[in-house]
Amino acid sequence: MAESMPNMLDSRNWLVPPTEHCRRMLPATRRQGMHISKEHQQWVNFSSNDYLGLTTDTRMCQAANDANSQFGVGSGASRLISGDSPQLHTLEKKLAIWKGYEAALVVGSGMLANIGLIQTLANRHTHTFADRLNHASLVDGTRLALAKNHRYPHRDIKTLEGLLQRHTAERRIIVSDGVFSMDGDIADVCAMIALAEAYDTLLIIDDAHGTGTFGADGRGVIQQHHLQGHARLIEVGTFGKAFGGYGAFILGTEELIEGLRQSMRTLIYSTAIPPAATATALQALEIIRQGDRVQALHKNIQRFRARTETLPMLASETAIQPLMTYDDQATLSAANALRAQGFFVAAIRPPTVPTGQSRLRITLSSDHTLEQIKQLCVALHQLVP
Ligand SMILES: *Cc1c(COP(=O)(O)O)cnc(C)c1O
């Protein structure tokens, strides 16, 4: 019967037709520490955002199990209906203190945080100023708000200032990643806060990748530069990366956070995160504050960088270490060759990055062993002689 049905999707082109850039999912059957496996194959994972190895940490699993048995597996409703919990408020207080802001708001995910935040702050008269390499969620937020968006070349503060001089409006927002996800480099947050002051704008910094990883204590890019709590600054962080779980949070003034609680659509019209997600976020915060995981990550970053100095690496001091392979096909071959040797490394190609900018995106974790890093580096040197 299925064969006789007309194929509506294909015939009408509802979806983008598959191209040679077709992305594939890898349904891993098992994850354990830094290993992922599928059927009988196993790889050391050098392409996850599990920077501190917390996704499989026993303390994290225990916290989730305890929350599941105590509170059930779901929150049952939006936070504004009946899905709120004292644990969520405890988590928000602790996050605000840890990051150095007046208040915090926990939401479903980084995608929901950014879309909801910008949609709430901006409207069709607002001008946004965005780094060209910003995360998709920041781009989509400005689109949903119907704001007038101006993109500037990656980390190009001069061009940003020129745009601010040219485009005046009552409400303006500068929007940027903290640590950039594809390049592993860092926004010039000091220069940006200075521009926000000089041109009377807000500044949103999404430090999804820096949270839990960057700076001596892992608090992130903003804290490394002592800018936390600045009245013009709104920071976003997530639980899906170094925190090893799921969910996200927004940091700012008491007034801003209260305003978002009242009107942010992705908060109001979306189910609160499950109790186990709240519990694992609280547990992750405890572990991160102990500091040893963050230090182990930094040590692994140093170990990796020391062994790849002569390779065409992008300059990055973060856990994201891109090795430029430029050519699309060469990148795919390199990733496959690494896979055959037991390393899982992401091949990043267009449209994720511009044509000719393909790369292997290696991400490091505190849980990689010295031996795993050494072996990967040997393999990389063989690929790029
Ligand atoms: C991963 C990421 C997000 C999305 O967060 P999720 O919780 O996975 O939805 C948002 N912004 C940046 C910069 C990210 O890297």
Side-chain angles (χ1 to χ4, degrees), residues 109-111 114 135 137 177 179 181 206 208-209 238 240-241 246-248:
S109 73
M111 194 81 192
N114 287 331
H135 190 265
S137 53
D177 286 19
V179 171
S181 61
D206 173 6
H209 289 280
T238 73
K241 291 175 175 125
Y246 191 76

Side-chain angles (χ1 to χ4, degrees), residues 323-376:
L323 187 156
M324 297 306 291
T325 38
Y326 306 105
D327 178 68
D328 191 0
Q329 205 50 48
T331 307
L332 202 56
S333 312
N336 286 336
L338 290 172
R339 191 108 29 124
Q341 294 179 65
F343 302 107
F344 199 85
V345 173
I348 306 291
R349 299 171 298 149
T352 309
V353 289
T355 304
Q357 295 284 301
S358 291
R359 65 198 64 179
L360 294 172
R361 180 175 175 275
I362 297 145
T363 54
L364 299 166
S365 166
S366 60
D367 270 18
H368 286 123
T369 65
L370 175 58
E371 209 47 45
Q372 288 168 342
I373 290 172
K374 276 185 182 166
Q375 285 166 0
L376 174 69

Side-chain angles (χ1 to χ4, degrees), residues 306-311 323 376-385:
R307 287 172 175 78
T308 52
E309 274 172 347
T310 59
L311 292 176
L323 187 156
L376 174 69
C377 291
V378 168
L380 293 176
H381 279 280
Q382 283 164 358
L383 282 176
V384 187

Side-chain angles (χ1 to χ4, degrees), residues 48-162:
S48 93
N49 302 320
D50 188 11
Y51 298 122
L52 303 177
L54 296 186
T55 62
T56 53
D57 184 282
T58 51
R59 293 164 290 182
M60 295 283 283
C61 297
Q62 190 60 51
N65 290 343
D66 291 348
N68 282 334
S69 23
Q70 211 180 333
F71 307 113
V73 296
S75 62
S78 155
R79 292 187 65 186
L80 278 88
I81 306 296
S82 64
D84 202 12
S85 71
Q87 289 77 22
L88 273 169
H89 289 268
T90 302
L91 176 58
E92 288 174 341
K93 285 204 185 81
K94 289 191 174 189
L95 286 167
I97 292 168
W98 181 59
K99 280 278 198 175
Y101 290 79
E102 282 179 22
L105 178 66
V106 170
V107 294
S109 73
M111 194 81 192
L112 291 171
N114 287 331
I115 289 179
L117 174 64
I118 301 175
Q119 183 189 25
T120 309
L121 294 174
N123 61 29
R124 65 182 71 243
H125 305 296
T126 310
H127 285 237
T128 52
F129 302 83
D131 190 292
R132 191 163 285 164
L133 295 192
N134 276 356
H135 190 265
S137 53
L138 297 168
V139 178
D140 292 356
T142 59
R143 285 185 185 159
L144 192 57
L146 302 176
K148 179 85 189 83
N149 190 36
H150 308 277
R151 295 204 305 172
Y152 56 88
H154 184 46
R155 298 177 70 230
D156 185 343
I157 294 293
K158 275 249 159 346
T159 302
L160 169 58
E161 179 157 26

